Amino acid sequence: MFKAVLIANRGEIAARIARTCKRMGIRTVAVYSEADEGAPHTQIADEAYLIGPAHVTKSYLNAERILEVAREAGVDAIHPGYGLLSENSEFVHAVEAAGITFIGPRAEVMELMGDKARAREFAQKAGVPVVPGSDGVVADEDAAIALAESIGYPILVKASAGGGGIGMNLAKNEKKLRKAVQASVRRAESAFGDPSFYLERYIENPRHIEIQVLADTHGNAIHLFERECSVQRRHQKVIEEAPSPLVSRHDGLRERMCEAALALVRASEYVNAGTVEFIADEAGNFYFIEMNTRLQVEHPVTEMIAGLDLVEWQLRVAAGEELTIAQDALTIDGHAIECRLYAENPDKMFMPAPGTITTFKAPTGEGVRLDSGVDAGREVTPYYDPLIAKLIVHASDRPAAIAKMKGALTEMEIGGLTTNLNMHIELMDDADFQAGDIHTGWLEKR
C-alpha cells in the first residue's frame, strides 16, 4: 500500500479522500490556491502546499507545480478526485513519467472515453446500445443537415470532447440545427480547444441512469448497481439516488444495464473506479451516452447502499491489490439520496451566488452524512464551482429516505449567502418527486 498520497483537488472531495487515506494509515498531502488558504481540506491533510493564485489555470490545473510538490513531499501516488485534472491523460502520462502512481485508469482508456464520438463507436462495437446518431464526428454543418434527415428530429448536437453539458445544443428543425452546430463548435473550441461534434437523436424526457463499476489489474470487474441522476439544471446533476426508481419498475432492467456496463469495462480493459452513463425512457429502453473515468460527485449514494468505501478500493486497486468482492455477494441495502448544496439562486436561473458563510450547522443522526469542504467564516469565491456540501441520507426504502432527507435539510443551517437549501426542502415534498416521476428537464420545467 502507498505510504503517501497527494490529493490534486480541493473542497469537499479533497477532504473526503484525505479522511479515507488517514483511516488507512496513509500520509496525505494537500494542495491549495491563495483563495483556499486555511480551507478544511488543508487542515485535515498531514501536509499542505501552496500551488498558486486563485485562478485554476495557475493553481489546480498547474500540473507542473503539482508534480513539483509531489516530488518535494515524497509521495508515491496522486489521487485526482473529480473535475480539474482527473480526466487529463497528459497529466496521467506526466505522473507516471515521474515514477508516481496515478490513482485511476490508464491514459489510453481515458483518451478513448474522453472523446465522446469515439466512445460511442467503441460502445456500439462492444454490443452496448447507443442512441441513434452519427457514426463518429460530423464533418461540417451541411453534413449535419443531411444526417439529421435520416436520424430524425429532434437532434442533439454534442461536442466530442464535451462534458457537463458544455457544447450540447438541441435542435428541432433544420434552421435551428444550423444555429446549434455553430454554437456547439464555438463553445467546444473555447472550452476544449476541439471544435469537433457529433449528432444524436434526442430522447424526449429522458432519465439519467449510471452504473458504478470497479475493476482491478487481475481481470476482475464488478458493478455496484445503479444511480439515478435525473434531477438536473443546465445538464448538471442536483439530486442523485440509489437505486433508481425507474429501473426498479422494470423486471430485468437492472441486470441488463449492469451487464452492458461491464461489457464496456471488459472491452476497454478498464481498471479502477468508473461510471458508465445511460439515458433511458419510461419504457425501459436505455442507451449509452458516456463513461466517466474517475470518481463521481455522487459516489456516496452507492457507498451507502453497497456498504463499502469506493476511495479505499480505488487506492487498493491502484496499489495492485485484487478485488475481494464477489459480484453475487453484493446486494442493495435500502435507499440513499444525495442533495448537492450550492451557493446559487434557484429563482434566477440557478446563477452562482458567491459570498461569505456566516453560519454552518451540519445535521446529525443515523444514516445522515455530510461531505463538505467549507466552514463558518469561509468565503465561497467566484473562482470555483459553487458547491458547498453534499448531504446524503440512507434509509430502509425510498419513502423513508425522502422523509429523512427532509428532516436533515430542515436541520441544516447555511447562513450569510443565497443557497438552494430551501429548494431541496420543497422538492422532497413534491408529488412528482415522491412518485419518482422525474426526468432530466423536470426541475427546470416545474
Side-chain angles (χ1 to χ4, degrees), residues 175-238:
K175 182 179 179 181
K176 290 185 177 179
L177 179 55
R178 289 189 182 278
K179 290 183 179 179
V181 168
Q182 292 165 13
S184 290
V185 167
R186 192 166 52 247
R187 187 73 174 93
E189 177 69 54
S190 171
F192 312 113
D194 179 0
S196 62
F197 68 95
Y198 64 103
L199 303 182
E200 279 185 353
R201 175 73 187 273
Y202 179 69
I203 307 300
E204 299 282 357
N205 296 331
R207 310 284 287 247
H208 186 123
I209 315 292
E210 56 190 35
I211 309 297
Q212 177 69 61
V213 294
L214 191 60
D216 64 21
T217 56
H218 303 274
N220 303 305
I222 59 172
H223 68 76
L224 301 173
F225 310 106
E226 85 282 354
R227 300 184 285 258
E228 177 152 0
C229 312
S230 296
V231 181
Q232 304 180 5
R233 86 292 189 253
R234 299 195 304 274
H235 302 293
Q236 294 178 326
K237 305 160 190 173
V238 178

Side-chain angles (χ1 to χ4, degrees), residues 334-337 366-368 393-408 428 434:
H335 198 92
I337 300 174
E366 184 179 354
V368 177
V393 301
H394 178 249
S396 57
D397 55 28
R398 190 169 186 269
I402 291 173
K404 182 175 286 188
M405 177 59 82
K406 183 182 177 182
M428 292 304 112
Q434 290 181 349

